[in-house]
Amino acid sequence: MPRDNLNELTAFLAVAREESFTRAAAKLGVSQSALSHTVRTLEERLGVRLLTRTTRSVSPTEAGERLQRTVGPRLDEIETELTALSALREKPAGTIRITAGEHAADAILWPAISRLLPDYPDIRIEIIVDYGLTDIVAERYDAGVRLGEQVARDMIAVRIGPDMRMAVVGSPAYFATRPKPRVPQGLTDHNCINLRLPTYGGLYAWEFEKAGRELKVRVEGQLVFNTAALRMNAVLAGLGLAYMPDDQVTAYLADGRLVRVLADWCAPFPGYHLYYPSRRQATPAFSLLVDALRYRD
């Protein structure tokens, strides 16, 4: 149905129900003259008079009553559905797809969504663990998670975690037969558990900083993994040194199952940020998730 036809029918029904151009015009927010012109256009197009006009009243003709009976309920149904859709738009619902690394998904995303979802059963969240610098627009993700220094400038970035530090750790059993390294270069004499990341084109070089001096060390060892869980298992088993986010090893350091070295070379760096395109139209569900993830000191 052309939009003009719908507007004409809406105008006619308002006058027929109110039995007054004055009241109908006020209800629709238009002038009386514009409303009268719209109804007259409908009558001319249909070729029948729909309203009987006198100086004191307005009432439907027989044709007008028929049109009111048949079309009125249908337009009311349309209006009801449109109202329901508007309410749905304001209700947090829908699927949100996020790409993130394993540590970010486990340490940042999971605690937030586990608190959020029970109160919002119509929200669905899909988290894809990926160490690559994924193009979230091309891959149709709603958002991604990266370290602050890795977020592209054309993206909106929301800080969702504190500054981070890395930790070089090994088990007491491992250090029982090997000296502890005192400088990062000393790692070349150790059996190190390597991490393979697609973003670095191969094995990840362990990064260090002290007194403004930055250093990257390419370590060697018997094991290479691309997941944090397997690296943790290996270091706890005494099979080498691991380079881990310090929050993942805090409990093991406290109970003595792991020993930390080179702590003075592991400087803080910007933590995780949620990023998404600046042109993205935020849904209520997405806005709710962003607020739940936002880091507050």
Side-chain angles (χ1 to χ4, degrees):
M1 176 187 295
R3 184 181 298 274
D4 288 344
N5 293 0
L6 184 59
N7 291 340
E8 292 168 359
L9 289 171
T10 301
F12 160 72
L13 288 172
V15 176
R17 288 168 174 171
E18 296 293 334
E19 295 186 342
S20 166
F21 276 93
T22 301
R23 291 193 295 272
K27 183 176 182 180
L28 296 175
V30 299
S31 67
Q32 292 185 47
S33 59
L35 182 59
S36 179
H37 176 74
T38 300
V39 173
R40 189 174 296 110
T41 299
L42 176 62
E43 290 177 325
E44 291 174 354
R45 186 167 57 80
L46 295 177
V48 294
R49 182 174 293 278
L50 300 173
L51 297 170
T52 299
R53 303 166 176 84
T54 68
T55 56
R56 294 185 177 181
S57 66
V58 177
S59 60
T61 63
E62 182 179 354
E65 289 178 347
R66 178 176 177 180
L67 184 62
Q68 184 178 359
R69 286 196 307 271
T70 56
V71 175
R74 290 172 173 80
L75 288 184
D76 290 341
E77 290 176 5
I78 293 174
E79 182 64 28
T80 299
E81 287 302 317
L82 292 176
T83 300
L85 288 174
S86 296
L88 182 62
R89 186 182 64 238
E90 300 302 323
K91 181 182 180 181
T95 300
I96 301 171
R97 300 183 71 236
I98 303 174
T99 175
E102 183 183 12
H103 178 243
D106 183 61
I108 304 295
L109 297 182
W110 172 245
I113 65 175
S114 65
R115 294 190 299 267
L116 177 69
L117 292 186
D119 294 329
Y120 297 93
D122 294 322
I123 295 178
R124 296 178 297 278
I125 297 177
E126 179 179 350
I127 297 175
I128 303 300
V129 173
D130 183 3
Y131 285 108
L133 296 180
T134 304
D135 184 337
I136 61 173
V137 176
E139 298 298 327
R140 301 176 67 86
Y141 286 103
D142 295 290
V145 177
R146 290 183 187 170
L147 295 172
E149 58 195 14
Q150 296 177 332
V151 177
R153 293 183 179 179
D154 60 343
M155 293 284 175
I156 293 177
V158 178
R159 182 170 177 164
I160 59 175
D163 285 350
M164 293 175 55
R165 291 183 70 195
M166 299 300 291
V168 179
V169 294
S171 70
Y174 176 87
F175 285 122
T177 58
R178 297 171 179 83
K180 296 177 183 178
R182 297 184 180 277
V183 293
Q185 295 90 333
L187 292 170
T188 57
D189 297 326
H190 284 265
N191 193 4
C192 296
I193 303 164
N194 260 306
L195 171 66
R196 185 177 296 281
L197 293 178
T199 53
Y200 289 85
L203 300 182
Y204 173 69
W206 295 10
E207 300 179 69
F208 300 95
E209 181 181 348
K210 184 177 182 180
R213 180 189 177 192
E214 296 182 1
L215 188 66
K216 292 185 178 181
V217 179
R218 294 197 174 276
V219 299
E220 295 184 359
Q222 295 176 283
L223 293 170
V224 179
F225 298 114
N226 69 342
T227 71
L230 289 174
R231 285 184 291 141
M232 184 64 73
N233 289 341
V235 71
L236 289 171
L239 297 178
L241 300 183
Y243 184 73
M244 308 287 293
D246 66 354
D247 65 293
Q248 290 190 320
V249 298
T250 300
Y252 298 114
L253 293 174
D255 65 15
R257 296 177 65 186
L258 291 177
V259 176
R260 184 171 190 169
V261 295
L262 302 175
D264 56 332
W265 279 92
C266 296
F269 55 90
Y272 292 118
H273 286 64
L274 185 80
Y275 68 97
Y276 52 94
S278 57
R279 63 181 181 275
R280 188 188 191 284
Q281 181 66 38
T283 64
F286 186 77
S287 297
L288 194 68
L289 178 63
V290 171
D291 188 63
L293 287 170
R294 192 183 305 274
Y295 177 70
R296 297 170 174 85
D297 292 325

